[in-house]
Amino acid sequence: MRTQVAIIGGGPSGLLLGQLLARCGIESVVLERQTKAYVLGRIRAGVLERGLVELLREAGCAARLEREGFVHDGVLIAYDNKQFRLDFKELTGEHVTVYGQTEVTTDLYAAREASGGVIHYEVEDVVIEGAEGDAPFVTYRIGGKNHRLDCDFVAGCDGFHGVSRKTIPEAVRTEYEKVYPFGWLGILSETPPVDPELIYACSERGFALCSMRNEALSRYYVQCDVADDLEEWSDQAFWDELRRRIPAAAADALVTGPSIEKSIAPLRSFVCEPMRWGRLFLCGDAAHIVPPTGAKGLNTAASDVHYLYTGLRQFYEEKDAEGLDQYSERALARVWKAERFSWWFTSTMHRFPGQADFDLKMQQAELAFLRSSRDAQAAVATNYVGLPY
Ligand code: APR
Ligand code: PHB
């Protein structure tokens, strides 16, 4: 079998890239290790920057998002019994859209199926060959049968645990990593959100976040120990802890109910350089991870897809490799800024085990400055709504 672009991984990065390419007549094959149900079962952040919304529009996948997504013009930040709002609209003229990543992925699958794009599920033992030359190919197995896919380019969209990044020789690859000494315990519940906007709360007992999917579905998080046993976090214990960490008015207004999903996620910052090796291009979680504070994971994947898609278009339509040659540099320039913002927001809002009193004072001063300075707020809002591509 032959295609123009072999896409490893059918998460949001791979599917969005495939759809954008399909719209301009560039063929691709998506190879996904899991089933579609498994991919859609993953619950991830749901805050979309304008750049991602525009890409989804360009991919012809934004109709439902435009109907069902919620425009958010600001967020609330709470600390030390104080609360202030970052007014995105006033500070930046922009907004974000709240629409679950699961919904984005569902829409991308529907579009791929409607356009007859090829996607193979339950693909095993993917190996990328010849990426450093002119004739790359991918071998894999489905149901015990061996296959080979020849292609012009390979897009490594297979997430943090995929094979693509590891295909880049260690001598060429540098990885930067920071693991945070805590995790997020998250629940999804069929209850109305406590506030129309997201609340990021820094409390003595640790961080908490009130988020949502729609008017009847809420997503809440509390900072926890990564080693915590999920079984020991009853729904009641979760709600009690959340109430202690959020502003009193929100705690009083909170509507609780049974969780329909509950999980603990570790927090990590990670970047792999370069993001290109010959004809292999890494996109999204395959190349970088951010801690979830600020919801930059999916949005950073989207900016990679933008740079790769424009590079591939330029190659096929204008026979110009400039965009592909610059891919790694352009993608990484934006990735590092998103890494910085996610690291800053995480470091400012969480309690660190054994935190020195001085460091605690610095956090408090950081938040007090943010509360009082329009310039500081504008800088945070600019990052939150998304830096330009
Ligand atoms: N072969 C084929 N597919 C693979 C392989 C492999 N060896 N390894 C992993 N995959 C698949 C995974 O099953 C998954 O569906 O690649 C996909 C990668 O998807 P994600 O991990 O979701 O990564 P990405 O598409 O880059 O999405 C961006 O943004 O909000 C963040 O982390 C969040 O998933 C989100 C990401
Ligand atoms: C979420 O809704 O899951 C979410 C929102 C904002 C974040 C992280 C997660 O910063």
Side-chain angles (χ1 to χ4, degrees):
M1 211 182 358
R2 186 175 169 86
T3 191
Q4 289 175 296
V5 183
I7 299 177
I8 319 295
S13 301
L15 292 170
L16 178 58
L17 178 67
Q19 252 352 79
L20 287 164
L21 294 176
R23 298 282 279 200
C24 53
I26 302 169
E27 240 184 54
S28 65
V29 168
V30 174
L31 303 176
E32 168 56 50
R33 183 164 61 181
Q34 305 286 353
T35 61
K36 181 169 141 187
Y38 182 95
V39 176
L40 292 178
R42 288 192 287 238
I43 298 183
R44 302 268 170 81
V47 178
L48 317 190
E49 296 173 357
R50 184 171 59 126
L52 170 52
V53 172
E54 279 171 8
L55 277 179
L56 287 164
R57 237 177 244 143
E58 197 170 340
C61 300
R64 195 161 70 94
L65 159 76
E66 270 156 8
R67 277 197 317 275
E68 297 176 15
F70 296 86
V71 168
H72 280 217
D73 290 322
V75 291
L76 300 174
I77 308 241
Y79 74 101
D80 258 3
N81 303 320
K82 297 181 191 76
Q83 184 178 313
F84 60 97
R85 180 167 182 263
L86 287 181
D87 186 333
F88 302 150
K89 202 168 167 186
E90 194 271 319
L91 293 162
T92 69
E94 301 271 348
H95 62 261
V96 291
T97 303
V98 168
Y99 187 70
Q101 182 173 320
T102 309
E103 306 310 319
V104 171
T105 315
T106 301
D107 296 346
L108 287 166
Y109 271 119
R112 180 136 195 117
E113 284 159 12
S115 66
V118 182
I119 168 155
H120 296 299
Y121 298 100
E122 298 185 83
V123 164
E124 294 171 300
D125 299 336
V126 166
V127 179
I128 301 163
E129 305 269 13
E132 71 281 33
D134 284 341
F137 62 96
V138 181
T139 61
Y140 55 97
R141 283 189 308 122
I142 303 177
K145 241 183 111 189
N146 293 322
H147 297 268
R148 170 177 167 143
L149 176 63
D150 289 277
C151 55
D152 298 333
F153 300 102
V154 180
C157 303
D158 49 355
F160 185 64
H161 301 287
V163 295
S164 299
R165 185 178 67 254
K166 292 167 202 143
T167 302
I168 303 179
E170 268 178 43
V172 178
R173 169 162 51 102
T174 309
E175 297 183 347
Y176 301 86
E177 183 173 48
K178 179 179 180 70
V179 175
Y180 299 85
F182 40 72
W184 277 18
L185 169 64
I187 71 164
L188 196 61
S189 84
E190 285 167 328
T191 51
V194 66
D195 192 278
E197 292 184 340
L198 272 64
I199 304 175
Y200 288 88
C202 170
S203 93
E204 249 170 40
R205 300 181 62 91
F207 172 77
L209 169 61
C210 306
S211 182
M212 66 203 72
R213 294 293 173 267
N214 57 50
E215 302 99 328
L217 193 58
S218 298
R219 181 80 168 146
Y220 295 104
Y221 300 93
V222 293
Q223 172 187 347
C224 67
D225 192 325
V226 247
D228 276 2
D229 182 357
L230 196 56
E231 302 299 314
E232 286 184 14
W233 275 100
S234 65
D235 287 357
Q236 192 57 48
F238 179 89
W239 293 120
D240 289 346
E241 190 55 38
L242 180 67
R243 266 201 212 91
R244 291 187 198 110
R245 296 184 187 192
I246 61 179
D252 290 343
L254 185 69
V255 179
T256 63
S259 62
I260 55 170
E261 194 269 351
K262 195 192 287 170
S263 52
I264 294 178
L267 271 71
R268 178 200 306 269
S269 297
F270 175 89
V271 180
C272 164
E273 291 189 338
M275 286 173 60
R276 175 213 183 165
W277 183 57
R279 286 180 171 246
L280 167 64
F281 297 83
L282 303 182
C283 264
D285 279 18
H288 42 75
I289 298 286
V290 287
T293 332
K296 291 295 169 220
L298 178 61
N299 292 298
T300 311
S303 62
D304 296 348
V305 168
H306 160 81
Y307 295 119
L308 183 53
Y309 156 65
T310 47
L312 287 167
R313 248 188 114 159
Q314 198 182 352
F315 178 87
Y316 285 111
E317 291 176 1
E318 298 161 32
K319 304 206 170 357
D320 182 354
E322 185 268 346
L324 293 178
D325 289 340
Q326 294 300 313
Y327 170 74
S328 182
E329 213 170 287
R330 283 185 185 143
L332 282 166
R334 193 175 185 282
V335 163
W336 277 115
K337 290 179 197 148
E339 289 284 346
R340 185 206 68 83
F341 175 67
S342 307
W343 159 82
W344 169 82
F345 205 14
T346 302
S347 308
T348 303
M349 298 298 290
H350 290 74
R351 282 293 149 117
F352 285 70
Q355 191 163 13
D357 290 346
F358 182 84
D359 293 340
L360 198 54
K361 284 285 187 192
M362 287 300 99
Q363 273 186 337
Q364 288 163 347
E366 185 86 38
L367 287 165
F369 176 57
L370 183 59
R371 178 162 171 251
S372 65
S373 160
R374 189 190 181 279
D375 288 346
Q377 290 188 7
V380 174
T382 301
N383 282 277
Y384 197 98
V385 299
L387 298 175
Y389 287 178

